[in-house]
């Protein structure tokens, strides 16, 4: 376990999955990140690579050859190398190996970088194509936050706040796959009350929001969690039916639609990276009052 801190916050991470494991606010004493209680969901904030969501039958094609990848990919279950730890910054690295090439036939480097400033954590994902051919991939984040934050509250005491009025239309899932349908949740709103019913069919999936900034707030106090994911084409909002957490998941990629196994390079939301090129995306988490 590694950590960095400043006068406002202390974050902890681990080499397993390069996962963020805690965001502790020094003034209010709260840990805003989910504790990975396996009774509900045994992860904190996994990195999703090289696929986001579930593939049809856990399979995909590269030049008509079939490979297998589990939901959300293998990066979250692999040990990263800690390459840099200094004041206010942590960097992890995962390189392709014989093990990964069996599942994903591309040479790559994946860097996960954490920086803190005041009460904000900046998470930067850097994908480099070390291969001689174009490399298709998806990448995403899956941070879960403690909701409720304080004793005596319920999940329903919280709401999502948006920066601008939004039309919230979710991409529908049938099991783990997209079914080609959409459902209007609300329109012309700047806040959405949290209820368990919202997640009756699993995650809400939004795209093309007016502003990719979302804040979890309580009706009872000023402590909040703001996630800024500018540039990400999709965002998933997820919890299980009884769990005391909420995930805000910025994605460059999305689960397969019901149908046949697909060529990865043709999947919706896929990124295709040329040889020796680098893809970078950053999101941030701000906590406190």
């Amino acid at each position: 376990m590694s950590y960095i801190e400043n006068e406002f916050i202390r974050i902890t991470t681990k080499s397993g999955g390069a996962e963020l494991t805690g965001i502790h606010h020094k003034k209010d004493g709260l840990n805003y990140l989910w504790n990975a209680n396996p009774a509900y969901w045994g992860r904190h904030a996994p990195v999703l690579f090289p696929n986001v969501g579930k593939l049809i039958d856990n399979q995909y094609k590269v030049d008509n050859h079939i490979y297998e990848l589990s939901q959300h990919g293998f990066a979250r279950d692999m040990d990263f190398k800690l390459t840099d730890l200094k004041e206010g910054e942590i960097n992890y690295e995962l390189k392709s190996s014989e093990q990964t090439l069996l599942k994903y036939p591309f040479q790559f480097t994946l860097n996960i970088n954490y920086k803190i400033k005041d009460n904000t954590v900046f998470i930067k994902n850097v994908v480099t194509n070390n291969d001689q051919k174009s490399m298709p991939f998806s990448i995403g984040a899956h941070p879960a936050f403690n909701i409720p934050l304080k004793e005596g509250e319920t999940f329903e005491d919280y709401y999502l706040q948006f920066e601008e009025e939004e039309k919230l239309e979710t991409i529908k899932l049938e099991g783990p796959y997209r079914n080609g349908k959409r459902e209007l949740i609300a329109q012309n709103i700047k806040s959405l009350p949290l209820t368990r019913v919202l997640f009756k069919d699993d995650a809400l999936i939004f795209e093309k929001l007016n502003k990719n900034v979302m804040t979890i707030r309580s009706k009872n106090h000023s402590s909040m969690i703001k996630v800024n994911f500018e540039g990400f084409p999709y965002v998933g909002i997820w919890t299980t039916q009884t769990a005391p957490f909420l995930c805000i998941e910025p994605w460059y990629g999305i689960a397969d639609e019901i149908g046949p196994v697909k060529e990865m390079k043709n999947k919706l939301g896929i990124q295709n990276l040329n040889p020796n090129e680098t893809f970078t995306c950053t999101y941030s988490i701000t906590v406190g009052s």
Side-chain angles (χ1 to χ4, degrees):
M1 198 76 73
S2 300
Y3 73 91
I4 52 177
E5 62 184 335
N6 58 25
E7 63 180 299
F8 300 99
I9 59 174
R10 181 181 191 267
I11 72 165
T12 53
T13 64
K14 63 178 182 178
S15 59
E19 190 173 5
L20 182 65
T21 58
I23 305 175
H24 301 261
H25 195 281
K26 294 183 176 181
K27 181 178 179 181
D28 61 27
L30 295 174
N31 178 20
Y32 286 81
L33 202 68
W34 169 241
N35 61 21
N37 181 347
Y40 296 101
W41 185 60
R43 300 180 189 267
H44 304 272
V47 175
L48 315 181
F49 176 88
N51 53 297
V52 170
K54 192 170 179 67
L55 304 169
I56 296 294
D57 297 329
N58 291 324
Q59 296 181 334
Y60 70 100
K61 294 179 183 179
V62 174
D63 297 329
N64 280 320
H65 185 88
I66 291 180
Y67 294 86
E68 293 196 0
L69 281 170
S70 59
Q71 185 170 10
H72 293 324
F74 52 69
R76 62 182 184 167
D77 295 316
M78 299 196 73
D79 285 329
F80 283 62
K81 180 181 179 182
L82 177 63
T83 59
D84 198 14
L85 175 58
K86 58 188 178 184
E87 185 174 355
E89 185 174 352
I90 304 174
N91 192 74
Y92 290 98
E93 183 176 271
L94 178 68
K95 285 183 173 291
S96 51
S97 63
E98 291 183 6
Q99 179 184 1
T100 67
L101 287 169
L102 293 174
K103 302 176 182 180
Y104 180 66
F106 300 95
Q107 302 277 355
F108 68 87
T109 302
L110 172 61
N111 289 99
I112 310 297
N113 177 270
Y114 298 97
K115 288 184 180 180
I116 57 174
K117 181 179 180 181
D118 299 333
N119 58 339
T120 299
V121 188
F122 297 91
I123 303 99
K124 181 168 69 172
N125 307 311
V126 182
V127 182
T128 302
N129 180 359
N130 300 324
D131 220 307
Q132 300 304 306
K133 55 185 181 290
S134 179
M135 185 177 82
F137 71 95
S138 292
I139 191 164
H142 202 314
F145 305 103
N146 286 318
I147 301 297
L149 283 166
K150 298 184 179 183
E151 290 186 11
E153 291 188 304
T154 68
F155 185 86
E156 288 78 11
D157 286 327
Y158 286 76
Y159 61 96
L160 287 176
Q161 183 181 72
F162 302 91
E163 299 288 295
E164 298 181 8
E165 285 193 350
E166 298 287 356
K167 177 182 178 181
L168 299 179
E169 189 176 59
T170 184
I171 297 170
K172 294 290 288 180
L173 296 173
E174 191 170 318
Y177 306 118
R178 292 181 292 112
N179 65 8
K181 300 178 182 178
R182 293 172 182 259
E183 179 184 347
L184 181 64
I185 302 298
Q187 58 184 341
N188 302 323
I189 64 164
K190 292 189 71 173
S191 66
L192 178 68
L194 291 177
T195 66
R196 297 294 181 182
V197 175
L198 283 172
F199 305 97
K200 67 185 188 301
D201 298 323
D202 206 271
L204 302 177
I205 303 172
F206 301 133
E207 66 173 333
K208 298 179 181 177
L209 294 176
N210 291 323
K211 188 76 170 179
N212 280 5
V213 181
M214 204 174 290
T215 304
I216 304 171
R217 292 192 179 274
S218 170
K219 296 182 289 187
N220 304 316
H221 53 78
S222 60
S223 297
M224 61 84 192
I225 303 154
K226 178 185 287 188
V227 182
N228 186 322
F229 49 100
E230 289 298 331
F232 285 77
Y234 304 99
V235 61
I237 314 297
W238 176 74
T239 187
T240 66
Q241 280 300 305
T242 60
F245 68 75
L246 185 74
C247 296
I248 298 179
E249 310 173 36
W251 298 338
Y252 272 91
I254 196 168
D256 275 354
E257 188 169 6
I258 295 169
V261 175
K262 299 170 176 60
E263 281 277 342
M264 185 175 250
K265 67 181 179 181
N266 297 328
K267 274 173 42 64
L268 181 66
I270 208 73
Q271 310 300 306
N272 285 292
L273 192 60
N274 290 327
N276 302 312
E277 289 192 347
T278 295
F279 171 91
T280 301
C281 59
T282 301
Y283 74 101
S284 67
I285 302 167
T286 301
V287 299
S289 300

